[in-house]
Amino acid sequence: MNRNERNYHHHATEPHVAYFSMEFGLHEELPIYAGGLGVLAGDYLKAAHDLHMPVVGVGILWKQDYTEQYIGDDGRPYDVFPNFDFNNVKDTGITVPVRVRGADVTCKVHMVDRYGNAPLYLLDTNFPGSEHGWMTSRLYGGGVQDRVAAEILLGIGGVRALRALGIDVDVYHLNEGHAVFAGIELIREKMERGHSFEDAWQLTRQTIVFTTHTPIAAGNEVHGHDLLQLMEAYNGLHYEQMKRIGGDPFNMTAAALMLSYLSNGVSKLHGQTACRMWKNVCDASGIISITNGVHVKTWQDEGIRDAFDRRGDLWQAHQANKKRLLRYIEQRNGVKLNPDALLVGFARRAAPYKRSDLIFRTAEVIEPLLKEGKLQLVFSGKAHPNDKIGKDIIAQLVKMDRKYGDSVTFLENYNMEVCRMMIRGCDVWLNNPRRPLEASGTSGMKAAMNGVLNLSVVDGWVGEGLQHQVSGWLINTPPSQLMDEAQQDEHDLRELYRILLDEVIPTYYNRHDTWVEMIRASIDMARWQFSSHRMMREYFDVMYQKVFSKDHMLSTEPQIQEQEEWISHVPPIVYDPQEPAPKYH
């Protein structure tokens, strides 16, 4: 397929974009995603399709998913890894060679376009006769060699797949640092054509943009150079060149910043945090903010959308979704919750900073509400299979489920289906991370556009749209440098209880008209501002066009100036990008 054969009805000057991501969440029946990063990538491709944007996705076909995670009789999560047939993907007939750890690896290239998405091309080594199926077996599974092998396939193999498919690309968008080796492949191509390393690097930078997602150290991978050499990730470059790009040890996020023309954080607050976090990386691209958005057609209930558009009965539409969720809970957990009692939902990746158990920490406050039936809580989430701390968090939630069985329940094996039921059927969506560690928080956007009212710490997207007592409730947190973790937890718990007891519960039970007005305000606030259509339009207007314009210069001076202005307003965070980060979960 060449540029003239595309079906997209785009403006002639719009750049053609290849979006690289380790995971894509398009639908629960295609389980090649772990969580929010992948679902965002899926929503991105759906928005590109809706808007006829010249975009393709590049990813990996994971044979065994991330994990199917269930709760054992002992109350702890355990993992199951079924082999999927993936009859819902198309074989393009294309294969590409990639060199990994002394072996010539053949990657099949599949294509997915059945979910209302722009074409997604998936690399696969897990086919009959292949000795290299381990490389595309489990998303984020195995050891560090498995991880680097997958990253080589995604980056180097991804670029080669685009070449073999005949797809022209103007802008390479790296969604997180996993795809950094795409930049190394682009440099190798140019050096093979006679450019020096320095020229090849600078020319490559003029075609790459990068999205960084998390301030958590574990989300910013670091690899030793011995490992990269063993795995043949250098791809024709040598140690000094790779060190110039990513340091020693090789930091994948720093390398992405050094390989890109422009980068972005995923909310205004996160953009500021990312600027401070990476300000010591010399010659890094400037970091701006493009706030995430979610695909409205995928996540907003049609009944809610119709009631909002025609100014119909939003409460009736909401209650229909709530009853649907309660039937779902009863079928899965055998628990019958009260459709007339306040239902608060919380569904997140199991990570300590998200503080999923915060609401339970003072039993004398929360227990009477649960026992009297004034408050019901539904939780869900997954932990990485090797993450003991994450599994401890889930076990604690299951313990609360078993203690307060009539009022608290945990839905196992969190996926897109569970998310869709919860963000439509709960009354309130709870979000209480330690600030500033929540980069965006797209589940709250999904809840908001369904009229599920957010009760949230002001972090990620929340500070950009949510108005206290108008479209939800805000838990204001002092700057993190003024408190240690224990003090911040104590402050936020006190504020959470105060707002819950003095504002949320009285409004739900005693001020019905006000609640319905807040539902309408929440939908009105979220449906465009936090949609993937708005996000996609911003990517093209603010990032891609800058890279694509023929008269652009490589200098990032305007972005650096903006970066420095942001930094002056951002509290420091406890993370040094020069320090090796632990393995990403």
Side-chain angles (χ1 to χ4, degrees):
M1 180 179 64
N2 61 42
R3 185 169 300 181
N4 296 323
E5 294 170 337
R6 296 178 188 276
N7 294 321
Y8 295 106
H9 308 296
H10 62 280
H11 192 275
T13 61
E14 288 209 295
H16 295 250
V17 180
Y19 184 86
F20 286 69
S21 182
M22 190 68 94
E23 49 177 300
F24 285 88
L26 289 167
H27 194 277
E28 58 268 20
E29 70 182 21
L30 183 65
I32 57 170
Y33 62 94
L37 178 75
V39 175
L40 171 79
D43 284 2
Y44 172 98
L45 291 185
K46 291 174 183 177
H49 174 271
D50 294 347
L51 299 174
H52 306 292
M53 296 298 196
V55 168
V56 297
V58 180
I60 291 178
L61 187 67
W62 299 102
K63 183 69 172 178
Q64 294 187 322
D65 190 10
Y66 171 61
T67 175
E68 289 192 354
Q69 195 166 85
Y70 301 98
I71 305 302
D73 292 339
D74 61 354
R76 291 193 62 81
Y78 66 92
D79 299 285
V80 176
F81 302 99
N83 287 309
F84 291 93
D85 292 331
F86 293 121
N87 297 321
N88 47 358
V89 304
K90 303 173 184 177
D91 189 344
T92 65
I94 298 291
T95 62
V96 293
V98 182
R99 184 83 179 165
V100 182
R101 204 179 65 180
D104 294 315
V105 179
T106 297
C107 298
K108 281 191 170 186
V109 182
H110 302 275
M111 195 269 278
V112 180
D113 63 356
R114 62 178 292 171
Y115 300 108
N117 59 284
L120 169 60
Y121 295 96
L122 299 170
L123 291 109
D124 172 27
T125 62
N126 216 319
F127 51 86
S130 172
E131 300 176 0
H132 310 294
W134 59 275
M135 297 182 188
T136 60
S137 180
R138 295 178 190 171
L139 173 60
Y140 305 136
V144 290
Q145 289 196 23
D146 301 75
R147 175 60 60 83
V148 173
E151 290 167 341
I152 291 171
L153 298 186
L154 176 63
I156 298 172
V159 172
R160 293 178 184 177
L162 294 169
R163 302 287 184 262
L165 290 160
I167 296 175
D168 297 325
V169 178
D170 301 306
V171 179
Y172 298 85
H173 186 159
L174 311 185
N175 186 39
E176 251 322 340
H178 307 125
V180 148
F181 299 130
I184 305 302
E185 172 68 0
L186 294 173
I187 291 173
R188 184 200 63 78
E189 287 182 336
K190 293 173 180 61
M191 291 176 68
E192 212 170 64
R193 292 197 293 268
H195 290 283
S196 69
F197 166 71
E198 292 292 338
D199 287 346
W201 180 7
Q202 297 309 311
L203 288 169
T204 293
R205 290 191 75 168
Q206 295 181 44
T207 65
I208 292 178
V209 298
F210 168 56
T211 298
T212 180
H213 283 267
T214 179
I216 301 301
N220 295 278
E221 276 183 273
V222 172
H223 297 303
H225 281 270
D226 287 347
L227 173 65
L228 296 186
Q229 289 177 309
L230 171 69
M231 300 303 293
E232 301 189 49
Y234 279 16
N235 193 32
L237 274 61
H238 58 65
Y239 167 75
E240 289 298 333
Q241 293 166 340
M242 292 291 283
K243 181 182 176 183
R244 288 277 309 282
I245 293 169
D248 187 357
F250 190 88
N251 187 304
M252 298 289 277
T253 304
L257 291 165
M258 295 290 285
L259 284 166
S260 55
Y261 173 70
L262 191 58
S263 299
N264 75 287
V266 291
S267 68
K268 287 184 172 61
L269 283 171
H270 175 243
Q272 296 169 13
T273 300
C275 284
R276 170 150 324 258
M277 184 171 178
W278 301 105
K279 65 186 177 71
N280 293 326
V281 179
C282 296
D283 299 322
S285 60
I287 301 174
I288 63 171
S289 293
I290 295 180
T291 301
N292 282 342
V294 301
H295 190 245
V296 175
K297 187 176 179 181
T298 297
W299 298 108
Q300 188 181 46
D301 173 66
E302 290 183 12
I304 283 286
R305 187 183 311 139
D306 179 64
F308 181 85
D309 288 342
R310 61 180 176 82
R311 297 199 65 84
D313 190 337
L314 281 169
W315 181 252
Q316 184 180 15
H318 168 69
Q319 281 297 100
N321 284 329
K322 185 175 182 179
K323 289 174 182 177
R324 196 173 295 122
L325 170 61
L326 297 191
R327 286 194 299 271
Y328 185 77
I329 291 170
E330 186 174 7
Q331 289 166 2
R332 291 188 51 156
N333 288 7
V335 176
K336 195 165 186 175
L337 299 179
N338 180 2
D340 298 319
L342 178 65
L343 180 63
V344 175
F346 185 107
R348 303 285 190 285
R349 178 171 58 87
Y353 80 90
K354 293 180 183 284
R355 301 186 298 188
S356 54
D357 68 335
L358 186 67
I359 196 169
F360 293 113
R361 291 191 187 174
T362 304
E364 57 266 31
V365 174
I366 197 68
E367 194 166 89
L369 297 172
L370 297 172
K371 289 189 172 180
E372 292 167 17
K374 279 189 176 180
L375 177 65
Q376 302 172 117
L377 300 171
V378 55
F379 293 88
S380 193
K382 279 182 181 176
H384 184 279
N386 300 331
D387 184 3
K388 181 182 181 301
I389 294 174
K391 289 188 172 182
D392 289 344
I393 291 168
I394 290 178
Q396 181 63 21
L397 295 176
V398 173
K399 183 179 178 182
M400 295 297 102
D401 174 326
R402 296 180 178 183
K403 181 176 181 180
Y404 304 109
D406 293 336
S407 298
V408 179
T409 193
F410 181 87
L411 289 167
E412 63 185 359
N413 196 36
Y414 186 53
N415 60 17
M416 288 179 70
E417 178 186 64
V418 176
C419 178
R420 193 162 50 245
M421 298 298 296
M422 288 182 64
I423 54 91
R424 293 176 177 181
C426 292
D427 296 308
V428 169
W429 197 252
L430 180 61
N431 181 46
N432 45 229
R434 289 191 189 99
R435 186 174 176 180
L437 300 179
E438 184 72 75
S440 179
T442 51
S443 66
M445 300 174 184
K446 296 164 190 167
M449 63 179 53
N450 281 289
V452 175
L453 305 181
N454 278 268
L455 169 55
S456 179
V457 165
V458 184
D459 203 7
W461 73 277
V462 172
E464 298 174 39
L466 205 64
Q467 292 179 277
H468 188 69
Q469 293 185 327
V470 175
S471 51
W473 294 272
L474 301 173
I475 302 170
N476 283 305
T477 302
S480 58
Q481 79 268 26
L482 302 180
M483 297 180 173
D484 61 25
E485 283 188 0
Q487 291 171 325
Q488 189 176 359
D489 287 359
E490 182 181 351
H491 171 275
D492 291 353
L493 179 61
R494 189 166 57 248
E495 281 296 289
L496 169 60
Y497 285 153
R498 183 188 65 78
I499 295 170
L500 184 64
L501 290 168
D502 296 347
E503 299 180 26
V504 179
I505 290 176
T507 304
Y508 182 82
Y509 287 105
N510 303 322
R511 297 195 289 275
H512 177 75
D513 289 346
T514 299
W515 192 278
V516 175
E517 288 171 9
M518 291 180 72
I519 288 177
R520 186 171 297 280
S522 175
I523 298 168
D524 191 43
M525 172 269 298
R527 63 182 184 145
W528 166 254
Q529 186 178 353
F530 299 105
S531 72
S532 57
H533 284 191
R534 186 272 313 152
M535 174 186 71
M536 178 61 65
R537 195 63 266 172
E538 282 194 31
Y539 272 123
F540 269 84
D541 294 346
V542 179
M543 288 189 82
Y544 301 158
Q545 286 290 358
K546 280 189 178 181
V547 176
F548 183 58
S549 60
K550 290 181 172 58
D551 60 349
H552 84 268
M553 301 295 289
L554 187 62
S555 170
T556 57
E557 190 173 328
Q559 288 81 41
I560 297 298
Q561 183 178 353
E562 185 177 13
Q563 179 177 347
E564 289 171 349
E565 290 172 0
W566 278 344
I567 288 170
S568 65
H569 302 293
V570 182
I573 63 173
V574 185
Y575 176 59
D576 181 353
Q578 304 305 316
E579 292 285 329
K583 181 182 174 185
Y584 175 74
H585 292 319

